[in-house]
Amino acid sequence: MKSKMGVIQLGGIACILSGILFLAQQLFLLPVPHPPAPDGELLAWLAEWKLQLSMADELLVFAALLLIPAVVAIYRVLAKTDLIKALLGCGLLALNIPVYMILVVVLGRLVYPVYDIELSPESYRLVLSLYYGGLHLAFLIFGLAIILLSFAIRKSPIGKPAAYLGFLTGVLAFASAYPWLMGNGAVLAIQLVFTAWLMLVGIRLLDRKVGNV
């Protein structure tokens, strides 16, 4: 039981830290405007916002990796309540980890040199389209995963407040799957809700009564 409690509490801490890092990443992207289309303006945009993009890239690595212990802990608790929804929801959350790792590589190509290889504006546009396309997929997966998990959380020791916040977070995640249609302020507001959900789940996982049920 001590080992299981250790895993669940570690997952709770990971949930909280992951939520904070996802929020910090979005804060770095907040002032960055949408990329312009003309070649000269695009290159100037990359040069002007290189620091913000590179910091967001670094934070995304750790935010995504922290989902690994978080997913394990959430599954440990929810499998006792609703095994099917726990499997599906946690499986989708786990699927997002490699998606984010790919996004880290893609975003890194915008700001980090590789053997001094220079990319053309056309290549940068391809990289940007892949990045935003990957974000679209990641948010859709998050939305479905969180909604599925919220149905299980509602009947679990994690509690109904986390479930109801999860339903809201899942719906908003679907909306944030279209960042090119939304302003950065709206995306940040949605990220605040997502961070609040991760932190609430993490706090509940730290409660030893949750791990003992």
Side-chain angles (χ1 to χ4, degrees):
M1 180 61 68
K2 289 184 179 179
S3 174
K4 182 180 292 188
M5 284 297 295
V7 168
I8 293 174
Q9 290 177 335
L10 176 63
I13 295 171
C15 267
I16 295 170
L17 293 177
S18 180
I20 292 172
L21 290 179
F22 273 119
L23 178 59
Q25 190 237 9
Q26 192 58 52
L27 286 172
F28 273 105
L29 295 177
L30 178 63
V32 180
H34 291 176
D39 292 356
E41 292 181 20
L42 177 60
L43 294 176
W45 178 85
L46 288 169
E48 181 178 0
W49 301 106
K50 182 177 180 179
L51 175 61
Q52 286 80 359
L53 293 172
S54 60
M55 290 301 300
D57 190 48
E58 296 296 332
L59 289 171
L60 186 58
V61 177
F62 299 103
L65 289 178
L66 284 167
L67 289 176
I68 297 174
V71 169
V72 173
I74 292 171
Y75 175 77
R76 284 282 191 98
V77 174
L78 296 186
K80 305 171 186 177
T81 301
D82 192 326
L83 179 59
I84 299 300
K85 292 185 180 68
L87 278 171
L88 292 174
C90 288
L92 287 169
L93 279 184
L95 177 61
N96 248 358
I97 298 170
V99 172
Y100 272 119
M101 291 298 101
I102 294 172
L103 287 179
V104 167
V105 175
V106 171
L107 185 58
R109 297 291 58 79
L110 294 176
V111 292
Y112 298 123
V114 177
Y115 293 113
D116 295 321
I117 298 173
E118 293 291 337
L119 297 181
S120 65
E122 290 77 11
S123 298
Y124 280 127
R125 279 191 283 269
L126 175 60
V127 171
L128 282 165
S129 66
L130 289 173
Y131 173 71
Y132 285 111
L135 280 181
H136 175 74
L137 174 62
F139 287 133
L140 290 178
I141 293 173
F142 261 135
L144 182 57
I146 294 172
I147 288 174
L148 284 171
L149 290 174
S150 295
F151 280 109
I153 289 173
R154 186 173 54 174
K155 301 177 182 179
S156 78
I158 296 177
K160 290 183 179 180
Y164 296 143
L165 182 58
F167 288 130
L168 174 62
T169 304
V171 172
L172 291 177
F174 288 129
S176 62
Y178 303 89
W180 55 90
L181 299 178
M182 307 174 65
N184 287 356
V187 174
L188 177 62
I190 294 173
Q191 183 60 62
L192 283 168
V193 177
F194 175 63
T195 294
W197 180 76
L198 277 175
M199 294 185 69
L200 179 56
V201 171
I203 291 170
R204 294 297 298 137
L205 291 174
L206 289 174
D207 187 342
R208 289 186 174 271
K209 293 180 181 179
V210 172
N212 280 328
V213 174

